[in-house]
Amino acid sequence: MAKTQLNVRVDEGTARAARERALARGMSVNRYIEELVKQDTGEVGHTFVEAAADFMKQYESVFAKEFDGGAPARAKPRVGEDREGAREGRH
């Protein structure tokens, strides 16, 4: 992907914080700012969800076989709930 230069003016405290945080993460200030914008626009989260969905599709049969003998997954009631999810004692 082609890169575009973007010039921004921030106060010295913000610039210092950006440099410190980028250094702590082992990345350039440019990369740090780019990651912040991607997080803010949801691109990083969207990419993660897509990758997780692909992984689950690829290994669905392995998980099914390992954890439930191949049967479809079913939710177990939490402590204090019956099988329909209602709290005990409430009607």
Coordinates of all heavy atoms in Angstrom, one line a residue:
M1 N 0.8 -1.2 0.0 CA 0.0 0.0 0.0 C 0.9 1.2 0.0 O 1.8 1.3 0.8 CB -0.9 0.0 1.2 CG -1.7 1.2 1.3 SD -2.6 1.4 2.9 CE -3.8 0.1 2.8
A2 N 0.6 2.2 -0.9 CA 1.3 3.4 -0.9 C 1.1 4.2 0.3 O 0.1 4.2 0.9 CB 0.9 4.2 -2.1
K3 N 2.2 4.9 0.7 CA 2.1 5.8 1.9 C 2.0 7.2 1.5 O 2.5 7.7 0.5 CB 3.4 5.6 2.8 CG 3.6 4.2 3.3 CD 2.7 4.0 4.5 CE 3.1 2.6 5.1 NZ 2.4 2.4 6.3
T4 N 1.2 8.0 2.3 CA 1.0 9.4 2.1 C 1.6 10.1 3.3 O 1.3 9.7 4.5 CB -0.5 9.7 2.0 OG1 -1.0 9.0 0.9 CG2 -0.7 11.2 1.8
Q5 N 2.3 11.2 3.1 CA 2.8 11.9 4.2 C 1.8 12.9 4.8 O 1.0 13.5 4.0 CB 4.0 12.8 3.8 CG 4.7 13.5 4.9 CD 6.0 14.2 4.5 OE1 6.6 13.8 3.5 NE2 6.4 15.1 5.3
L6 N 1.7 12.9 6.1 CA 0.7 13.7 6.8 C 1.5 14.5 7.9 O 2.2 13.9 8.7 CB -0.3 12.8 7.4 CG -1.4 13.5 8.3 CD1 -2.3 14.3 7.4 CD2 -2.2 12.4 9.0
N7 N 1.4 15.8 7.8 CA 2.1 16.7 8.8 C 1.0 17.1 9.8 O 0.0 17.6 9.5 CB 2.7 17.9 8.1 CG 3.8 17.4 7.2 OD1 4.7 16.6 7.5 ND2 3.8 17.9 6.0
V8 N 1.4 17.0 11.1 CA 0.5 17.3 12.2 C 1.2 18.2 13.2 O 2.4 17.9 13.4 CB -0.1 16.1 12.9 CG1 -1.6 16.2 13.1 CG2 0.3 14.8 12.3
R9 N 0.5 19.1 13.8 CA 1.1 19.9 14.8 C 0.4 19.6 16.1 O -0.8 19.6 16.2 CB 0.9 21.4 14.5 CG 1.7 21.9 13.3 CD 1.7 23.4 13.2 NE 2.4 23.8 12.0 CZ 3.7 24.1 12.0 NH1 4.4 24.0 13.0 NH2 4.2 24.5 10.8
V10 N 1.2 19.3 17.1 CA 0.7 19.0 18.5 C 1.6 19.7 19.5 O 2.7 20.1 19.2 CB 0.7 17.5 18.8 CG1 -0.2 16.7 17.8 CG2 2.1 16.9 18.7
D11 N 1.1 19.9 20.7 CA 1.8 20.6 21.7 C 3.0 19.6 22.2 O 3.0 18.4 21.9 CB 1.0 21.0 22.9 CG 0.3 19.8 23.6 OD1 1.1 19.0 24.3 OD2 -0.9 19.6 23.5
E12 N 4.0 20.2 22.8 CA 5.2 19.4 23.2 C 4.9 18.3 24.1 O 5.5 17.2 23.9 CB 6.2 20.4 23.8 CG 7.6 19.7 24.1 CD 8.2 19.0 22.9 OE1 8.2 19.6 21.8 OE2 8.7 17.9 23.0
G13 N 3.9 18.4 25.0 CA 3.6 17.3 25.9 C 3.0 16.1 25.1 O 3.4 14.9 25.4
T14 N 2.2 16.4 24.1 CA 1.6 15.3 23.3 C 2.7 14.6 22.5 O 2.8 13.4 22.3 CB 0.5 15.9 22.4 OG1 -0.5 16.5 23.2 CG2 -0.1 14.8 21.5
A15 N 3.6 15.4 21.9 CA 4.7 14.9 21.1 C 5.6 14.0 22.0 O 6.0 12.9 21.5 CB 5.5 16.1 20.5
R16 N 5.9 14.5 23.2 CA 6.8 13.7 24.1 C 6.1 12.4 24.4 O 6.7 11.3 24.4 CB 7.0 14.5 25.4 CG 8.0 13.8 26.3 CD 8.3 14.6 27.6 NE 8.3 16.1 27.4 CZ 7.3 16.9 27.9 NH1 6.3 16.4 28.5 NH2 7.4 18.2 27.7
A17 N 4.8 12.4 24.7 CA 4.0 11.2 25.1 C 4.0 10.2 23.9 O 4.2 9.0 24.1 CB 2.6 11.6 25.5
A18 N 3.9 10.8 22.7 CA 3.9 9.9 21.5 C 5.2 9.2 21.3 O 5.3 8.0 21.1 CB 3.5 10.7 20.3
R19 N 6.3 10.0 21.5 CA 7.6 9.4 21.4 C 7.9 8.3 22.4 O 8.4 7.3 22.1 CB 8.7 10.5 21.5 CG 8.8 11.4 20.3 CD 9.9 12.4 20.4 NE 9.7 13.5 19.5 CZ 9.3 14.8 19.9 NH1 9.1 15.0 21.2 NH2 9.1 15.7 19.1
E20 N 7.5 8.6 23.7 CA 7.7 7.7 24.8 C 7.0 6.4 24.6 O 7.5 5.3 24.8 CB 7.4 8.4 26.1 CG 8.3 9.4 26.5 CD 7.8 10.2 27.7 OE1 6.7 9.9 28.3 OE2 8.6 11.1 28.2
R21 N 5.7 6.5 24.2 CA 4.9 5.3 24.0 C 5.3 4.5 22.8 O 5.3 3.3 22.9 CB 3.4 5.7 23.9 CG 2.9 6.4 25.2 CD 1.5 6.3 25.3 NE 1.1 7.0 26.5 CZ 0.6 6.5 27.6 NH1 0.4 5.2 27.6 NH2 0.2 7.2 28.6
A22 N 5.7 5.2 21.7 CA 6.2 4.5 20.6 C 7.5 3.7 20.9 O 7.7 2.5 20.6 CB 6.5 5.4 19.4
L23 N 8.4 4.4 21.7 CA 9.6 3.7 22.1 C 9.4 2.5 23.0 O 10.0 1.5 22.8 CB 10.5 4.8 22.8 CG 11.9 4.3 23.4 CD1 12.8 3.8 22.2 CD2 12.5 5.3 24.2
A24 N 8.4 2.7 23.9 CA 8.1 1.6 24.8 C 7.5 0.4 24.1 O 7.7 -0.7 24.5 CB 7.1 2.1 25.9
R25 N 6.9 0.6 23.0 CA 6.3 -0.4 22.1 C 7.3 -0.9 21.1 O 7.0 -1.8 20.3 CB 5.0 0.0 21.5 CG 3.9 0.1 22.5 CD 2.7 0.8 21.9 NE 1.5 0.8 22.8 CZ 1.4 1.6 23.9 NH1 2.3 2.5 24.2 NH2 0.3 1.5 24.6
G26 N 8.5 -0.3 21.0 CA 9.4 -0.7 20.0 C 9.1 -0.4 18.6 O 9.4 -1.2 17.7
M27 N 8.4 0.7 18.4 CA 8.0 1.1 17.0 C 8.3 2.6 16.8 O 8.5 3.4 17.8 CB 6.5 0.8 16.8 CG 5.6 1.5 17.7 SD 3.8 1.2 17.4 CE 3.6 -0.5 17.7
S28 N 8.2 3.0 15.6 CA 8.4 4.4 15.3 C 7.2 5.2 15.7 O 6.1 4.7 15.8 CB 8.6 4.6 13.7 OG 7.5 4.3 13.0
V29 N 7.4 6.5 15.8 CA 6.2 7.4 16.1 C 5.2 7.3 14.9 O 4.0 7.3 15.2 CB 6.6 8.9 16.3 CG1 5.5 9.8 16.5 CG2 7.5 8.9 17.6
N30 N 5.7 7.3 13.7 CA 4.8 7.1 12.6 C 3.9 5.9 12.7 O 2.7 5.9 12.5 CB 5.6 7.1 11.2 CG 6.1 8.4 10.8 OD1 5.6 9.4 11.2 ND2 7.1 8.3 10.0
R31 N 4.5 4.8 13.0 CA 3.8 3.5 13.1 C 2.8 3.6 14.3 O 1.7 3.1 14.2 CB 4.8 2.3 13.3 CG 4.2 1.0 13.5 CD 3.6 0.5 12.2 NE 3.0 -0.8 12.4 CZ 2.2 -1.4 11.6 NH1 2.0 -0.9 10.4 NH2 1.7 -2.6 11.8
Y32 N 3.3 4.2 15.4 CA 2.4 4.3 16.6 C 1.1 5.1 16.3 O 0.0 4.7 16.6 CB 3.2 5.0 17.7 CG 2.4 5.3 18.9 CD1 1.9 4.2 19.7 CD2 2.1 6.6 19.3 CE1 1.2 4.5 20.9 CE2 1.4 6.8 20.5 CZ 0.9 5.8 21.2 OH 0.2 6.1 22.4
I33 N 1.3 6.2 15.6 CA 0.2 7.1 15.2 C -0.7 6.3 14.2 O -2.0 6.3 14.4 CB 0.6 8.4 14.6 CG1 1.5 9.2 15.6 CG2 -0.6 9.2 14.1 CD1 0.8 9.6 16.9
E34 N -0.1 5.6 13.3 CA -0.9 4.8 12.3 C -1.8 3.8 13.0 O -2.9 3.6 12.7 CB 0.0 4.2 11.3 CG -0.7 3.4 10.2 CD 0.3 2.9 9.2 OE1 1.5 2.9 9.4 OE2 -0.2 2.4 8.1
E35 N -1.2 3.1 14.0 CA -1.9 2.1 14.8 C -3.0 2.7 15.6 O -4.1 2.1 15.7 CB -0.9 1.3 15.7 CG 0.0 0.4 15.0 CD -0.6 -0.7 14.2 OE1 -1.6 -1.3 14.7 OE2 -0.2 -0.9 13.1
L36 N -2.8 3.8 16.2 CA -3.9 4.5 16.9 C -5.1 4.9 16.0 O -6.2 4.7 16.4 CB -3.3 5.8 17.6 CG -2.4 5.6 18.8 CD1 -1.9 7.0 19.2 CD2 -3.1 4.9 19.9
V37 N -4.8 5.4 14.8 CA -5.9 5.7 13.9 C -6.6 4.4 13.5 O -7.8 4.4 13.4 CB -5.3 6.5 12.7 CG1 -6.4 6.7 11.6 CG2 -4.8 7.8 13.1
K38 N -5.9 3.4 13.2 CA -6.5 2.1 12.8 C -7.4 1.6 13.9 O -8.5 1.1 13.7 CB -5.5 1.1 12.4 CG -4.8 1.3 11.1 CD -3.8 0.2 10.8 CE -3.2 0.4 9.4 NZ -2.2 -0.6 9.1
Q39 N -6.9 1.7 15.2 CA -7.7 1.2 16.3 C -9.0 2.1 16.4 O -10.1 1.6 16.6 CB -7.0 1.3 17.6 CG -5.9 0.3 17.8 CD -5.1 0.5 19.0 OE1 -5.3 1.4 19.8 NE2 -4.1 -0.4 19.2
D40 N -8.8 3.4 16.2 CA -10.0 4.3 16.4 C -11.0 4.1 15.3 O -12.2 4.2 15.5 CB -9.5 5.7 16.3 CG -10.6 6.7 16.7 OD1 -11.2 6.5 17.7 OD2 -10.7 7.7 16.0
T41 N -10.6 3.7 14.1 CA -11.5 3.4 13.0 C -12.0 2.0 13.0 O -12.8 1.6 12.1 CB -10.9 3.8 11.7 OG1 -9.7 3.0 11.5 CG2 -10.5 5.3 11.6
G42 N -11.5 1.2 13.9 CA -12.0 -0.2 14.0 C -11.3 -1.2 13.0 O -11.7 -2.3 13.0
E43 N -10.4 -0.7 12.3 CA -9.7 -1.6 11.3 C -9.0 -2.7 11.9 O -9.1 -3.9 11.5 CB -8.7 -0.8 10.4 CG -8.1 -1.6 9.3 CD -7.3 -0.7 8.4 OE1 -7.6 0.5 8.2 OE2 -6.2 -1.2 7.9
V44 N -8.3 -2.5 13.0 CA -7.6 -3.5 13.7 C -8.5 -4.6 14.3 O -8.3 -5.8 14.1 CB -6.7 -3.0 14.8 CG1 -6.1 -4.1 15.7 CG2 -5.6 -2.1 14.3
G45 N -9.6 -4.2 14.9 CA -10.6 -5.1 15.5 C -11.2 -5.9 14.4 O -11.4 -7.1 14.5
H46 N -11.5 -5.3 13.3 CA -12.2 -5.9 12.2 C -11.3 -7.0 11.6 O -11.7 -8.1 11.3 CB -12.6 -4.9 11.1 CG -13.3 -5.5 9.9 ND1 -14.6 -6.0 10.0 CD2 -12.9 -5.7 8.6 CE1 -14.9 -6.5 8.8 NE2 -13.9 -6.3 8.0
T47 N -10.0 -6.7 11.4 CA -9.0 -7.6 10.9 C -8.9 -8.8 11.8 O -8.8 -10.0 11.4 CB -7.6 -7.0 10.7 OG1 -7.8 -5.9 9.8 CG2 -6.6 -7.9 10.2
F48 N -8.9 -8.6 13.1 CA -8.8 -9.7 14.1 C -10.0 -10.6 14.0 O -9.8 -11.8 14.0 CB -8.6 -9.1 15.5 CG -8.7 -10.2 16.6 CD1 -7.6 -11.0 16.9 CD2 -9.9 -10.4 17.3 CE1 -7.7 -12.0 17.8 CE2 -10.0 -11.4 18.2 CZ -8.9 -12.2 18.5
V49 N -11.2 -10.0 14.0 CA -12.4 -10.8 13.9 C -12.4 -11.7 12.6 O -12.8 -12.8 12.7 CB -13.6 -9.9 14.0 CG1 -14.9 -10.7 13.7 CG2 -13.7 -9.3 15.4
E50 N -12.0 -11.1 11.5 CA -11.9 -11.9 10.3 C -10.9 -13.0 10.4 O -11.2 -14.1 10.0 CB -11.5 -11.0 9.1 CG -12.6 -10.1 8.6 CD -12.1 -9.3 7.4 OE1 -10.9 -9.2 7.1 OE2 -13.0 -8.7 6.7
A51 N -9.8 -12.8 11.0 CA -8.8 -13.8 11.1 C -9.3 -14.9 12.1 O -9.1 -16.1 11.8 CB -7.5 -13.2 11.6
A52 N -9.9 -14.5 13.2 CA -10.5 -15.5 14.1 C -11.6 -16.3 13.4 O -11.6 -17.6 13.6 CB -11.0 -14.8 15.3
A53 N -12.4 -15.7 12.6 CA -13.5 -16.5 11.9 C -12.9 -17.5 11.0 O -13.3 -18.6 10.9 CB -14.4 -15.5 11.2
D54 N -11.9 -17.1 10.2 CA -11.2 -18.0 9.3 C -10.6 -19.1 10.0 O -10.7 -20.3 9.6 CB -10.1 -17.2 8.5 CG -10.7 -16.3 7.5 OD1 -11.9 -16.4 7.1 OD2 -9.9 -15.4 7.0
F55 N -9.9 -18.9 11.2 CA -9.3 -19.9 12.0 C -10.4 -20.9 12.4 O -10.2 -22.1 12.4 CB -8.6 -19.3 13.2 CG -8.0 -20.3 14.1 CD1 -6.8 -20.8 13.9 CD2 -8.8 -20.7 15.3 CE1 -6.3 -21.8 14.8 CE2 -8.2 -21.6 16.2 CZ -7.0 -22.1 15.9
M56 N -11.5 -20.4 12.9 CA -12.5 -21.3 13.4 C -13.1 -22.1 12.3 O -13.4 -23.3 12.5 CB -13.6 -20.5 14.2 CG -13.2 -19.9 15.5 SD -12.5 -21.2 16.6 CE -14.0 -22.2 16.9
K57 N -13.3 -21.6 11.2 CA -13.8 -22.4 10.0 C -12.8 -23.5 9.7 O -13.2 -24.6 9.4 CB -14.0 -21.5 8.8 CG -15.2 -20.6 8.8 CD -15.3 -19.8 7.5 CE -16.3 -18.7 7.6 NZ -16.2 -17.8 6.5
Q58 N -11.6 -23.1 9.7 CA -10.5 -24.1 9.3 C -10.4 -25.2 10.3 O -10.2 -26.4 10.0 CB -9.2 -23.4 9.2 CG -8.1 -24.3 8.7 CD -6.8 -23.6 8.5 OE1 -6.7 -22.4 8.6 NE2 -5.7 -24.3 8.1
Y59 N -10.6 -25.0 11.6 CA -10.4 -26.0 12.7 C -11.7 -26.4 13.4 O -11.6 -27.0 14.4 CB -9.4 -25.5 13.7 CG -8.0 -25.4 13.1 CD1 -7.5 -24.1 12.6 CD2 -7.2 -26.5 12.9 CE1 -6.2 -24.1 12.1 CE2 -6.0 -26.4 12.3 CZ -5.5 -25.2 11.9 OH -4.2 -25.1 11.4
E60 N -12.8 -26.0 12.8 CA -14.1 -26.3 13.5 C -14.3 -27.8 13.8 O -14.7 -28.2 14.9 CB -15.3 -25.8 12.6 CG -16.6 -26.1 13.1 CD -17.7 -25.5 12.2 OE1 -17.5 -25.3 11.0 OE2 -18.8 -25.4 12.7
S61 N -14.0 -28.7 12.9 CA -14.1 -30.1 13.1 C -13.2 -30.6 14.2 O -13.5 -31.5 14.9 CB -13.9 -30.9 11.8 OG -12.6 -30.7 11.3
V62 N -12.0 -30.0 14.2 CA -11.0 -30.5 15.2 C -11.6 -30.1 16.6 O -11.5 -30.9 17.6 CB -9.7 -29.8 15.0 CG1 -8.7 -30.1 16.1 CG2 -9.1 -30.2 13.7
F63 N -12.1 -28.9 16.8 CA -12.6 -28.5 18.1 C -13.8 -29.3 18.4 O -14.0 -29.7 19.6 CB -13.0 -27.0 18.1 CG -11.8 -26.1 18.2 CD1 -11.3 -25.4 17.1 CD2 -11.2 -25.9 19.4 CE1 -10.2 -24.5 17.2 CE2 -10.1 -25.0 19.6 CZ -9.6 -24.4 18.5
A64 N -14.7 -29.5 17.5 CA -15.9 -30.3 17.7 C -15.6 -31.7 18.2 O -16.1 -32.2 19.2 CB -16.8 -30.4 16.5
K65 N -14.6 -32.3 17.5 CA -14.2 -33.7 17.9 C -13.5 -33.7 19.3 O -13.8 -34.6 20.1 CB -13.2 -34.2 16.9 CG -13.1 -35.7 16.9 CD -12.1 -36.2 15.8 CE -12.7 -35.9 14.4 NZ -11.8 -36.4 13.3
E66 N -12.7 -32.8 19.6 CA -11.9 -32.7 20.8 C -12.8 -32.4 22.0 O -12.7 -33.0 23.1 CB -10.8 -31.7 20.7 CG -10.0 -31.5 22.0 CD -9.1 -32.7 22.3 OE1 -8.8 -33.4 21.4 OE2 -8.8 -32.8 23.5
F67 N -13.7 -31.5 21.9 CA -14.5 -31.0 23.0 C -15.9 -31.6 23.2 O -16.5 -31.5 24.2 CB -14.5 -29.5 23.0 CG -13.2 -28.9 23.2 CD1 -12.5 -28.3 22.2 CD2 -12.5 -28.9 24.4 CE1 -11.2 -27.7 22.3 CE2 -11.3 -28.4 24.6 CZ -10.6 -27.8 23.5
D68 N -16.4 -32.1 22.1 CA -17.8 -32.6 22.3 C -18.1 -33.8 21.4 O -19.2 -34.1 21.1 CB -18.8 -31.4 21.9 CG -20.1 -31.6 22.6 OD1 -20.2 -32.4 23.6 OD2 -21.1 -31.0 22.1
G69 N -17.1 -34.5 21.1 CA -17.3 -35.7 20.3 C -17.9 -35.5 19.0 O -18.6 -36.4 18.4
G70 N -17.9 -34.3 18.5 CA -18.4 -34.0 17.1 C -19.8 -33.5 17.2 O -20.4 -33.1 16.2
A71 N -20.5 -33.4 18.3 CA -21.9 -32.9 18.4 C -21.8 -31.4 18.4 O -20.8 -30.8 18.8 CB -22.5 -33.4 19.7
P72 N -22.9 -30.7 18.0 CA -22.9 -29.3 18.0 C -22.7 -28.7 19.4 O -23.1 -29.3 20.4 CB -24.3 -28.9 17.5 CG -24.9 -30.2 16.9 CD -24.1 -31.3 17.5
A73 N -22.1 -27.6 19.5 CA -21.9 -26.9 20.8 C -23.2 -26.6 21.5 O -24.1 -26.2 20.8 CB -21.0 -25.7 20.7
R74 N -23.3 -26.7 22.8 CA -24.4 -26.3 23.5 C -24.0 -25.6 24.8 O -23.0 -26.0 25.4 CB -25.4 -27.4 23.8 CG -24.7 -28.5 24.6 CD -25.7 -29.7 24.7 NE -25.1 -30.8 25.4 CZ -24.3 -31.8 24.8 NH1 -24.2 -31.7 23.5 NH2 -23.8 -32.7 25.4
A75 N -24.7 -24.6 25.2 CA -24.4 -23.8 26.4 C -24.8 -24.6 27.6 O -25.8 -25.2 27.7 CB -25.1 -22.4 26.3
K76 N -23.9 -24.5 28.6 CA -24.2 -25.1 29.9 C -24.8 -24.0 30.8 O -24.3 -22.9 30.7 CB -23.0 -25.7 30.5 CG -22.5 -26.9 29.7 CD -21.2 -27.5 30.4 CE -20.7 -28.7 29.6 NZ -19.5 -29.2 30.1
P77 N -25.8 -24.3 31.6 CA -26.3 -23.2 32.5 C -25.3 -22.8 33.5 O -24.4 -23.6 34.0 CB -27.5 -23.9 33.2 CG -27.4 -25.4 32.9 CD -26.5 -25.6 31.8
R78 N -25.3 -21.5 33.8 CA -24.4 -21.0 34.9 C -24.9 -21.4 36.2 O -26.1 -21.8 36.4 CB -24.3 -19.5 34.8 CG -23.6 -19.0 33.6 CD -23.5 -17.5 33.5 NE -24.8 -17.0 33.2 CZ -25.1 -15.7 33.1 NH1 -24.2 -14.8 33.4 NH2 -26.3 -15.3 32.8
V79 N -24.1 -21.3 37.2 CA -24.5 -21.7 38.6 C -25.7 -20.8 39.0 O -25.7 -19.6 38.8 CB -23.3 -21.4 39.6 CG1 -23.8 -21.6 41.0 CG2 -22.2 -22.3 39.2
G80 N -26.7 -21.4 39.5 CA -27.9 -20.7 39.9 C -28.9 -20.5 38.8 O -29.9 -19.8 39.0
E81 N -28.7 -21.1 37.6 CA -29.6 -21.0 36.5 C -30.1 -22.4 36.1 O -29.4 -23.3 36.2 CB -29.0 -20.3 35.3 CG -28.7 -18.8 35.4 CD -28.2 -18.2 34.2 OE1 -27.7 -19.0 33.3 OE2 -28.2 -17.0 34.1
D82 N -31.3 -22.4 35.6 CA -31.8 -23.7 35.1 C -31.4 -23.8 33.6 O -30.8 -22.9 33.1 CB -33.3 -23.8 35.3 CG -34.1 -22.8 34.6 OD1 -33.6 -22.1 33.7 OD2 -35.3 -22.5 35.0
R83 N -31.8 -24.8 32.9 CA -31.4 -24.9 31.5 C -31.9 -23.8 30.6 O -31.4 -23.6 29.5 CB -31.8 -26.3 31.0 CG -31.1 -27.4 31.7 CD -31.0 -28.6 30.7 NE -30.2 -29.6 31.3 CZ -28.9 -29.7 31.1 NH1 -28.3 -28.9 30.2 NH2 -28.2 -30.7 31.6
E84 N -33.0 -23.2 30.9 CA -33.5 -22.1 30.1 C -32.9 -20.8 30.4 O -33.2 -19.8 29.8 CB -35.1 -22.0 30.2 CG -35.9 -23.0 29.5 CD -35.8 -24.4 30.3 OE1 -35.8 -24.4 31.5 OE2 -35.7 -25.4 29.6
G85 N -32.0 -20.7 31.3 CA -31.2 -19.5 31.7 C -31.9 -18.6 32.7 O -31.4 -17.6 33.0
A86 N -33.0 -19.1 33.3 CA -33.7 -18.3 34.3 C -33.1 -18.6 35.6 O -32.7 -19.7 35.9 CB -35.2 -18.7 34.3
R87 N -33.0 -17.6 36.5 CA -32.5 -17.7 37.8 C -33.4 -18.6 38.6 O -34.7 -18.4 38.5 CB -32.4 -16.3 38.5 CG -31.3 -15.5 37.9 CD -30.1 -15.6 38.8 NE -29.0 -14.9 38.1 CZ -27.7 -15.4 38.2 NH1 -27.5 -16.5 38.8 NH2 -26.8 -14.7 37.6
E88 N -32.8 -19.4 39.5 CA -33.7 -20.2 40.4 C -34.4 -19.3 41.4 O -33.8 -18.3 41.8 CB -32.8 -21.2 41.2 CG -32.2 -22.3 40.3 CD -31.3 -23.2 41.1 OE1 -31.2 -23.0 42.3 OE2 -30.7 -24.1 40.4
G89 N -35.6 -19.6 41.6 CA -36.4 -18.8 42.6 C -37.1 -17.7 42.0 O -37.9 -17.0 42.6
R90 N -36.9 -17.4 40.7 CA -37.7 -16.3 40.0 C -38.6 -17.0 39.0 O -38.3 -17.8 38.3 CB -36.7 -15.4 39.2 CG -35.9 -14.6 40.1 CD -35.1 -13.7 39.2 NE -34.2 -12.9 40.1 CZ -33.3 -12.0 39.6 NH1 -33.3 -11.8 38.3 NH2 -32.6 -11.3 40.4
H91 N -39.8 -16.5 39.1 CA -40.8 -17.1 38.1 C -41.7 -15.9 37.6 O -41.9 -15.0 38.0 CB -41.8 -18.1 38.8 CG -41.0 -19.3 39.3 ND1 -40.5 -20.2 38.5 CD2 -40.6 -19.6 40.5 CE1 -39.9 -21.1 39.2 NE2 -39.9 -20.8 40.5

